[in-house]
């Protein structure tokens, strides 16, 4: 949704009817994850993607039918039949796609509420009935427990309450999933399938050290969807002009800033200072956080010296093992931009458990269990 957010908000603001196709389930190898969307407006303009091109043509036709009044539809696509020119996925997986219209002002206004929250970086979840003993396409917006207002309904107070509770749990974890309930919200029943799409605030990337490598890393961090902060104690280097793509540039001692800012289990920390007076106190602070990734730049000699200093500071082997140092995957990188790609590749590998090896050397499914 985030990749076409401006286009969807513009259509809502301008009163343009459109249909939205959303990937709600993936089985096996498929190009896009649940939550990927494609929109088709009344003029036939398309934004977004649900399959990287494999089934877009057919989804376009379904979206036009739904927008013309055919009603919300749940469609599935499996392996394509090349000889019969059948529509499907060449990669061998299957996907389920929900197509619904936002044809009326009220429907677009409800969606605009969600889009505005996403644009503001505020957490929100959207629950939609897929099938079973409730109306397909019925929709409920869920906010965290400390906020009020849940526009929409799934058909019964019991179902709304159960889904709201579960959606808040999924939202806290940043997970999207299909949940099953009884018609009135009973757990451990299989009568109603509900797709819960969560929109947690973007994960943070904290880049320490205002050097050329940091500028390149900030750019690729923004490209990957992180909210990027660059921090350096030197006013001459920590400037907005040097880091135009960063969400914020902070002038402070790195460890002082890290100890005062929010770090969660999705945060990536990139320490590019390779200066002991910055590195050691910063890494001691970083290793106390639940950050998903802590990468540290430097040569192997610098790395060994850094480990000795950290041990002297009281950091044990278990914590030292969390460090990705020297930072990045072995891509043969030379330039700051190539190094940033190496760092980004390692962050992705840590996130999804990849091997870091060429896919051509491996066998089995390319896309791991989502």
């Amino acid at each position: 949704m985030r990749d076409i957010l401006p286009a969807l908000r513009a259509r809502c603001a301008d009163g343009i009817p459109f249909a939205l196709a959303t990937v709600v389930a993936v089985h096996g190898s498929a190009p896009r994850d649940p939550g990927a969307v494609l929109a088709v407006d009344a003029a036939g303009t398309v934004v977004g993607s649900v399959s990287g091109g494999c089934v877009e043509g057919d989804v376009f036709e379904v979206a036009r039918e739904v927008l013309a009044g055919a009603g919300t539809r749940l469609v599935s696509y499996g392996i394509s039949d090349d000889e019969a020119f059948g529509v499907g996925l060449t990669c061998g997986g299957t996907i389920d796609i929900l197509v619904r219209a936002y044809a009326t002002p009220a429907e677009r206004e409800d969606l605009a509420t969600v889009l505005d929250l996403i644009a503001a970086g505020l957490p929100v979840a959207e629950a939609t009935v897929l099938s079973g003993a409730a109306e397909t396409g019925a929709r409920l917006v869920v906010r965290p427990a400390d906020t009020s207002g849940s526009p929409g309904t799934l058909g019964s107070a019991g179902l709304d309450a159960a889904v709201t509770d579960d959606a808040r749990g999924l939202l806290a974890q940043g997970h999207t999933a299909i949940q099953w309930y009884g018609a009135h919200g009973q757990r451990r029943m299989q009568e109603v399938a509900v797709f819960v799409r969560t929109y947690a605030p973007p994960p943070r990337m904290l880049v320490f050290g205002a050097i050329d490598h940091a500028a390149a890393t900030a750019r690729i961090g923004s490209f990957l969807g992180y909210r990027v902060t660059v921090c350096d104690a030197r006013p001459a280097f920590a400037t907005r002009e040097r880091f135009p793509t960063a969400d914020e540039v902070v002038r402070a001692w790195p460890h002082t800033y890290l100890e005062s800012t929010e770090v969660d289990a999705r945060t990536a920390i990139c320490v590019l200072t390779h200066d002991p007076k910055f590195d050691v106190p910063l890494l001691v602070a970083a290793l106390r956080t639940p950050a998903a990734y802590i990468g540290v730049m430097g040569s192997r000699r610098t790395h060994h010296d850094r480990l000795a200093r950290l041990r002297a500071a009281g950091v044990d082997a278990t914590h030292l093992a969390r460090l990705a140092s020297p930072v990045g995957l072995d891509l043969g990188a030379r330039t700051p931009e190539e190094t940033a790609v190496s760092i980004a590749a390692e962050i992705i590998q840590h996130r999804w458990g990849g091997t870091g090896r060429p896919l051509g050397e491996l066998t089995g499914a390319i896309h791991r269990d989502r």
Side-chain angles (χ1 to χ4, degrees), residues 210 232-243 249 251:
D232 196 295
R234 302 168 294 176
F237 292 89
T239 65
R240 171 56 63 186
E241 292 73 20
R242 286 171 55 81
F243 300 97
V249 179
R251 298 172 183 174

Side-chain angles (χ1 to χ4, degrees), residues 23-34 93-96 178 367 370:
V23 176
V24 296
V26 170
H27 312 280
S29 183
R32 302 297 303 272
D33 284 334
T94 61
I95 58 174
D96 298 331
I178 294 177
H367 299 286
R370 290 165 166 82

Side-chain angles (χ1 to χ4, degrees), residues 205-207 214-223 226-231 238-250:
M205 175 181 285
L206 307 179
V207 182
T217 301
R219 287 196 296 272
I220 202 165
S222 296
F223 176 75
Y226 284 89
R227 181 164 65 90
V228 178
T229 299
V230 176
C231 176
T239 65
R240 171 56 63 186
E241 292 73 20
R242 286 171 55 81
F243 300 97
T245 64
D247 294 279
E248 56 183 348
V249 179
V250 176

Side-chain angles (χ1 to χ4, degrees), residues 18 44 46 51 63 80 93 98 125 134 137 144 148 163 167 188 219 235 246 248 255 290 294 326 347 349-350 357:
F18 62 93
V46 178
S51 73
S80 63
L98 182 74
S148 60
V163 171
R188 295 184 294 278
R219 287 196 296 272
E248 56 183 348
H255 72 281
I294 305 173
I347 290 172
Q349 179 198 20
H350 274 244
R357 295 173 55 197

Side-chain angles (χ1 to χ4, degrees), residues 105-132:
E107 290 169 336
R108 290 189 296 274
E109 183 177 348
D110 285 347
L111 180 61
T113 299
V114 174
L115 299 178
D116 290 345
L117 291 169
I118 297 171
L122 298 174
V124 62
E126 188 178 27
T128 308
V129 172
L130 299 182
S131 62

